Amino acid sequence: MSSPISRRDFLKTAGAATASACAVNSVPRLAAALPAKGSVAVTLPLATFPYSDVELLAGPMKRQFEENHALFLNLEDDRLLKVFRQMAGLPAPGEDMGGWYDIGGFSLERNDFHGFIPGHSFGQYLSGLARAYAVTGSDETRAKIDRLVKGYGETLDPKAKFFVDYRLPAYTYDKLACGLIDAYEFAHNSQALDIHGKLTHAITPYLPEKALSRQEQRSRPHKDTSYTWDETYTLPENLFLAYQRSGNVFYREMAKKYLEDDTYFNPLSEGNNVLPFEHAYSHVNAFSSAMQAYVTLGSEKHLRAARNGFEMLVRTQSFATGGWGPNESFGEPGTGQLGNSLGETHASFETPCGAYGHFKIARYLVRVSKDSKYGDSMERMLYNTILGAWPIQADGTSFYYSDYATTGKKVWYGQKWPCCSGTFPQLAADYHVSTYFRSSDGVYVNLFTPSRVKWTDGAGRYGITQETEYPFENKIAMKISASEPGEFAVYVRIPRWVATEPTLSVNGNRVSGPVEPGSFSRITRTWKDGDRIELELPMKLSLETVDANHPNLVALIHGPLVLFALADSQPTFDRDGLLGAKPANTGKGDWVARSSEGREVTMRPFATIDKENYSTYVQLKS
Ligand SMILES: [Zn+2]
């Protein structure tokens, strides 16, 4: 393998390609006005493509991206900015947003989360819009980003009075910071970095001196117990990114202070599973801070922490769907905690936030390792969790928890504009950067979904277009476009779960190299326009137990897809009856299995379940 391309060289080439190939995205940056970028210690072997170089074609991922983009594009600026203007004593026209977003009203005793964290998700909506702009080049989106950044900047004072007595300053700062650096990076907003700098300096007095675990926060008495929920340990990722994008070493040094080494990354790096009893999403999100410590500082310890932590997450905390953390908490391995949770809670997996954090760390880890298992993990999460989430409604009503209870159903979350309304638009935009990766010698196809990627190499312009109904069918077709013949490698993910030998062919001829399940299979040749790659991934039905303590609680799985039993109470099956399920021609990806009482039970993927009652896990007759 030749030496990896540097990220900056790659982005330079990619930027040039974007300008020539795609007129709508050709907003030039003025080199003279740009600050120097902060250098990184490590260039990951795989790079993400720029958002603009990947296009999602008709399918559920494109639909989710467009729904989120349209919703936040059409949400009134005055409403989004209202809480910041109110706290700054400025005229604050417009309706209240409602739910978590407003000022006041929160009561832990009354279980009323109205006004829980004012303005908490503004930065995420801004980030989602900036990433959506990077994908679409929509002038309207860019204009909205510019108005929101300017409007937010007008409410900011040097003491950040907004954060006086604020419940979760690190939580909201982290999201505001992300939105501002994304507005700069992806929507080329000229004010955003400056405002980010002012905010960061102003907020420092409201933050503790280091990352505090929830345990440590509980030991620092405060009148309001909800202060223990602040998430200082997720700050480093966006601070390292702020350093990389601005070149300002202040952010890099600040990021180092908030790495939660003592109680989290040190033990994880040594293989000690310290996940139990931690808050689930924010601690998965923290893995991405560890990865940025590796990228920016070259810290191998933090790479080990992220790798080990992800491994522990998948092996000891995850349901068959890929979801994790019932009641937003990690349990103790070996105690049957996942199986027990099915009888105890309907809040089984915090879906948009969890999927966002999971995709982010899996993307870092596949880029550092070129190991296809992270792609396998992403597709599990994709098809069985987030693609089944209902879209955020115009009034902020949101899908939050997936329900894996003995008898479960999809419900709306009780309060408007929760955390999950912030991560959903970011995640849906990130589908573009999760599907393909670029290596020094070619392109990695990570997710199978209708889409197109394009790039340049020398004078040549190349592309891959995927056509597939996967995972509802097991065939994927990839068509190469090439302005001139070009030699490069196409790496195709071969999932570990394939039932029998997969088939990979080019222009109808089986490839000669190995096609190993659990790897990226490489095809290197001189590609010509119209060349066609075909992949067939044989799928079979299998059973997966919820945990070792509950050997008779199983999920039925076909390929990467969990099949949920539609039933008003948890059905019981003989093993043969369940594994003998037959596809049903309903257009919803349904299967039908015969229960031990001889009843026909519809087995349906999460994405096509609407209001039906279902059981994620069914009883196996022993
Ligand atoms: Zn959430």
Side-chain angles (χ1 to χ4, degrees):
M1 188 72 88
S2 52
S3 70
I5 43 168
S6 97
R7 177 175 173 275
R8 269 201 277 165
D9 286 350
F10 176 70
L11 290 180
K12 246 191 286 172
T13 334
T18 307
S20 61
C22 184
V24 285
N25 273 331
S26 62
V27 183
R29 286 216 215 167
L30 299 175
L34 281 181
K37 304 258 176 176
S39 60
V40 295
V42 177
T43 301
L44 301 182
L46 301 185
T48 49
F49 279 89
Y51 287 91
S52 55
D53 285 358
V54 179
E55 185 187 353
L56 296 173
L57 304 174
M61 292 163 82
K62 183 184 174 69
R63 180 173 47 74
Q64 287 194 334
F65 168 66
E66 290 182 340
E67 283 166 353
N68 277 289
H69 184 195
L71 177 76
F72 290 99
L73 184 58
N74 292 317
L75 198 57
E76 263 177 66
D77 301 356
D78 281 341
R79 294 185 65 200
L80 287 162
L81 291 166
K82 185 166 183 175
V83 285
F84 301 104
R85 288 171 170 163
Q86 284 172 314
M87 300 278 261
L90 295 170
E95 301 268 315
D96 286 343
M97 289 278 280
W100 283 24
Y101 203 91
D102 292 341
I103 294 171
F106 168 70
S107 161
L108 192 58
E109 293 87 52
R110 292 198 311 273
N111 197 27
D112 174 9
F113 281 64
H114 170 76
F116 179 37
I117 326 175
H120 68 104
S121 46
F122 174 82
Q124 293 174 298
Y125 304 153
L126 185 61
S127 161
L129 284 167
R131 295 175 194 187
Y133 170 74
V135 172
T136 61
S138 141
D139 289 336
E140 208 186 340
T141 306
R142 190 171 180 206
K144 184 169 190 86
I145 292 161
D146 289 346
R147 291 195 307 273
L148 291 176
V149 169
K150 181 166 178 285
Y152 175 72
E154 286 164 1
T155 69
L156 184 63
D157 61 272
K159 294 214 150 119
K161 288 199 282 289
F162 181 85
F163 290 101
V164 173
D165 283 332
Y166 192 84
R167 189 170 291 111
L168 308 166
Y171 181 96
T172 296
Y173 162 70
D174 191 30
K175 289 153 184 59
L176 284 166
C178 180
L180 290 165
I181 62 173
D182 279 3
Y184 165 74
E185 180 76 4
F186 301 124
H188 320 305
N189 179 282
S190 56
Q191 278 187 294
L193 268 194
D194 183 44
I195 294 170
H196 173 267
K198 287 184 177 137
L199 168 66
T200 305
H201 283 92
I203 193 139
T204 311
Y206 304 96
L207 300 177
E209 71 290 354
K210 67 176 191 90
L212 298 180
S213 67
R214 289 195 173 188
Q215 188 68 35
E216 285 169 312
Q217 291 180 66
R218 275 189 286 271
S219 69
R220 295 186 178 195
H222 197 285
K223 59 185 174 175
D224 182 342
T225 53
S226 70
Y227 278 80
T228 61
W229 298 343
D230 208 3
E231 296 170 3
T232 41
Y233 45 83
T234 72
L235 292 176
E237 184 188 21
N238 285 313
L239 286 166
F240 282 126
L241 287 171
Y243 159 70
Q244 289 165 32
R245 292 174 189 180
S246 71
N248 187 339
V249 294
F250 174 84
Y251 301 124
R252 187 189 62 200
E253 297 311 302
M254 183 170 166
K256 288 185 197 168
K257 286 198 331 192
Y258 291 99
L259 289 166
E260 194 192 340
D261 285 340
D262 303 353
T263 46
Y264 200 51
F265 295 138
N266 288 346
L268 286 177
S269 74
E270 290 156 12
N272 296 323
N273 189 346
V274 288
L275 299 186
F277 314 115
E278 293 288 14
H279 176 248
Y281 162 60
S282 60
H283 285 82
V284 169
N285 199 20
F287 295 157
S288 291
S289 284
M291 277 308 295
Q292 276 298 339
Y294 171 64
V295 169
T296 313
L297 310 173
S299 168
E300 295 279 346
K301 174 181 84 177
H302 289 98
L303 172 61
R304 282 197 305 277
R307 264 190 177 145
N308 292 348
F310 189 83
E311 202 62 29
M312 292 161 190
L313 174 74
V314 170
R315 283 184 192 280
T316 69
Q317 304 293 341
S318 296
F319 294 102
T321 58
W324 32 255
N327 290 330
E328 300 192 27
S329 184
F330 290 131
E332 206 170 355
T335 61
Q337 88 275 12
L338 291 173
N340 293 340
S341 79
L342 308 184
E344 292 164 358
T345 184
H346 294 278
S348 306
F349 175 49
E350 185 187 354
T351 301
C353 290
Y356 175 65
H358 196 96
F359 260 59
K360 200 148 51 93
I361 185 58
R363 208 160 52 230
Y364 280 123
L365 290 171
V366 71
R367 289 177 55 204
V368 73
S369 67
K370 301 194 232 176
D371 190 330
S372 64
K373 73 179 175 186
Y374 300 111
D376 290 3
S377 181
M378 284 164 98
E379 73 170 7
R380 259 296 164 116
M381 177 67 75
L382 178 67
Y383 297 117
N384 302 307
T385 76
I386 190 63
L387 284 185
W390 287 333
I392 306 167
Q393 303 296 290
D395 67 354
T397 302
S398 298
F399 186 83
Y400 192 120
Y401 293 116
S402 291
D403 179 357
Y404 306 146
T406 308
T407 304
K409 63 176 179 194
K410 291 185 183 175
V411 293
W412 293 111
Y413 185 62
Q415 276 84 28
K416 298 182 195 315
W417 308 113
C419 51
C420 287
S421 74
T423 40
F424 204 168
Q426 294 181 294
L427 170 65
D430 285 356
Y431 290 157
H432 294 86
V433 294
S434 304
T435 305
Y436 302 92
F437 300 106
R438 180 87 198 252
S439 65
S440 56
D441 62 346
V443 171
Y444 279 65
V445 180
N446 184 49
L447 295 176
F448 304 124
T449 190
S451 58
R452 186 177 292 140
V453 61
K454 62 180 190 221
W455 71 96
T456 59
D457 193 359
R461 294 193 312 280
Y462 302 96
I464 297 175
T465 302
Q466 277 194 66
E467 288 166 19
T468 184
E469 297 285 325
Y470 181 90
F472 299 108
E473 62 168 30
N474 65 5
K475 293 191 176 73
I476 299 114
M478 290 165 250
K479 213 174 93 192
I480 304 285
S481 64
S483 64
E484 58 187 65
E487 192 183 340
F488 54 87
V490 176
Y491 293 83
V492 180
R493 184 172 56 84
I494 310 297
R496 183 168 294 281
W497 51 254
V498 285
T500 53
E501 202 189 336
T503 316
L504 185 60
S505 60
V506 178
N507 300 334
N509 304 311
R510 296 274 294 255
V511 302
S512 52
V515 183
E516 299 278 349
S519 75
F520 281 102
S521 199
R522 185 175 74 173
I523 318 171
T524 306
R525 55 184 268 133
T526 302
W527 297 94
K528 294 189 302 296
D529 195 46
D531 280 349
R532 197 173 161 86
I533 302 171
E534 273 156 338
L535 174 64
E536 191 173 331
L537 299 169
M539 297 181 184
K540 66 164 194 237
L541 292 169
S542 63
L543 303 180
E544 199 173 300
T545 55
V546 64
D547 58 42
N549 302 48
H550 299 87
N552 293 328
L553 278 178
V554 297
L556 180 64
I557 297 175
H558 187 245
L561 210 52
V562 176
L563 298 168
F564 297 67
L566 299 189
D568 294 329
S569 64
Q570 189 181 45
T572 301
F573 292 88
D574 297 321
R575 181 177 293 270
D576 291 348
L578 197 49
L579 287 172
K582 296 276 176 289
N585 208 354
T586 56
K588 290 176 184 280
D590 289 347
W591 292 65
V592 174
R594 193 165 292 278
S595 74
S596 24
E597 296 97 53
R599 212 158 41 85
E600 286 200 331
V601 179
T602 298
M603 310 294 295
R604 180 168 291 175
F606 196 59
T608 51
I609 292 176
D610 186 25
K611 301 216 169 71
E612 309 87 335
N613 288 331
Y614 61 81
S615 297
T616 311
Y617 290 90
V618 297
Q619 286 283 351
L620 210 55
K621 209 170 173 186
S622 47

